[in-house]
Amino acid sequence: MFQATRRGFIKAGGATTAGIVTGSVASPAIAQSMPEIRWRLAASWPKSLDTLYGTCETFAKYVAEATDNRFHIQLFAAGEIVPGLQVLDAVQNGNVEVCHTATYYFIGKDPTWALFCAVPFSVNTRQQNAWYYDGDGVRLLNEFGKKFNVHSLVGGNTGAQMGGWFRKEINAVDDLKGLKFRIGGWAGKTLQKLGVVPQQLAGGDIYPALEKGTIDAAEWVGPYDDEKLGFYKIAPYYYYPGWWEGGTANHFMINLEKWNELPKSY
């Protein structure tokens, strides 16, 4: 008698469970938690930089796969919607939902931004990631970011960078005086004390500036990315190391309202 009752209970319970899973209760819940969302991402990089722009491609791919292709992020390289150094403005204003960039580009808005990207004579990639993920780095970044209406996710790290490409050989500190050097963040402020004239330029704007003589030198990342941008063709002197960037963190910066609107499953 007990066995028969138990079988009947299991059978009835199974039917009820199946009804919940396939019926009117579950479907709306799934639809509500997995809505169709389309975002636009503005990058600070040209498409030729397959490491940096490639990070955006990987990000969009994984977001789509994780959401059964219901969350789409359309990518735009620097200059396609806004110039590479204006992506934060575009996210703040809601013109795009997300950008991928280096926060030290925005040292002019607030010098604190540069501290989340790279600091001269500071940590390497592993140490910086340890601070972000096991320390207070992410929390501090996003507390600060509220002032600018953004929420940020760590989005890659270039590792230690090179010292840059120079049109003329550097043999002494005096050779730096008056040198128009494409370099940003706190490094630019440091070298300024030695007479350097720092210039803030996005990656895609560096080559024409070197070619025209608008700048005398430029630092970017390292041999792979630098070769992609062709600096060796017009600035034959390459120096290392880039003591100003022992591990340069990049970030996805997301409009805060758009971030808060996302379902928890996203």
Side-chain angles (χ1 to χ4, degrees):
M1 180 67 178
F2 173 74
Q3 290 293 332
T5 302
R6 186 176 69 173
R7 288 193 190 98
F9 175 78
I10 291 173
K11 183 177 180 180
T16 302
T17 302
I20 291 174
V21 171
T22 60
S24 60
V25 177
S27 296
I30 292 172
Q32 289 170 14
S33 65
M34 299 276 293
E36 287 274 1
I37 293 179
R38 296 187 181 275
W39 278 8
R40 299 196 301 173
L41 182 153
S44 285
W45 336 109
K47 291 181 180 179
S48 59
L49 294 173
D50 56 352
T51 51
L52 292 166
Y53 189 80
T55 300
C56 305
E57 294 174 322
T58 301
F59 177 64
K61 175 178 178 286
Y62 286 164
V63 167
E65 289 179 355
T67 59
D68 198 22
N69 291 313
R70 298 181 69 84
F71 190 168
H72 298 269
I73 300 176
Q74 186 178 6
L75 307 181
F76 296 88
E80 290 186 338
I81 293 183
V82 292
L85 301 186
Q86 295 178 22
V87 294
L88 174 56
D89 295 326
V91 172
Q92 281 183 276
N93 299 332
N95 294 331
V96 297
E97 289 78 14
V98 56
C99 69
H100 188 244
T101 190
T103 61
Y104 62 7
Y105 288 158
F106 314 113
I107 192 171
K109 293 180 179 292
D110 190 310
T112 308
W113 275 125
L115 301 178
F116 294 107
C117 185
V119 178
F121 303 109
S122 187
V123 294
N124 62 27
T125 300
R126 287 179 295 177
Q127 291 166 329
Q128 191 172 48
N129 283 337
W131 174 62
Y132 270 123
Y133 295 120
D134 298 314
D136 288 328
V138 170
R139 179 182 64 81
L140 292 171
L141 171 62
N142 285 318
E143 283 182 2
F144 172 71
K146 290 177 183 177
K147 293 171 52 179
F148 295 85
N149 193 36
V150 295
H151 179 89
S152 299
L153 305 173
V154 182
N157 196 300
T158 68
Q161 297 195 359
M162 298 290 280
W165 298 86
F166 295 75
R167 289 165 59 94
K168 295 181 180 179
E169 193 172 0
I170 302 298
N171 294 306
V173 174
D174 285 346
D175 294 337
L176 297 175
K177 291 180 179 178
L179 186 83
K180 291 175 290 185
F181 190 12
R182 184 275 172 197
I183 187 167
W186 283 102
K189 292 183 177 294
T190 304
L191 286 172
Q192 198 168 16
K193 295 181 180 295
L194 299 176
V196 166
V197 182
Q199 309 287 314
Q200 184 91 289
L201 296 172
D205 299 327
I206 298 173
Y207 185 94
L210 275 173
E211 188 176 40
K212 294 174 184 176
T214 308
I215 58 174
D216 305 307
E219 61 82 37
W220 183 239
V221 177
Y224 182 84
D225 289 300
D226 293 2
E227 185 180 29
K228 289 277 187 181
L229 295 179
F231 300 147
Y232 65 93
K233 299 175 184 177
I234 43 178
Y237 300 99
Y238 198 28
Y239 293 101
Y240 77 95
W243 44 263
W244 42 83
E245 299 186 43
T248 307
N250 295 315
H251 293 85
F252 293 101
M253 304 172 75
I254 302 161
N255 179 277
L256 189 55
E257 283 82 11
K258 291 297 182 180
W259 172 261
N260 289 333
E261 287 173 2
L262 287 177
K264 287 185 179 181
S265 61
Y266 284 4

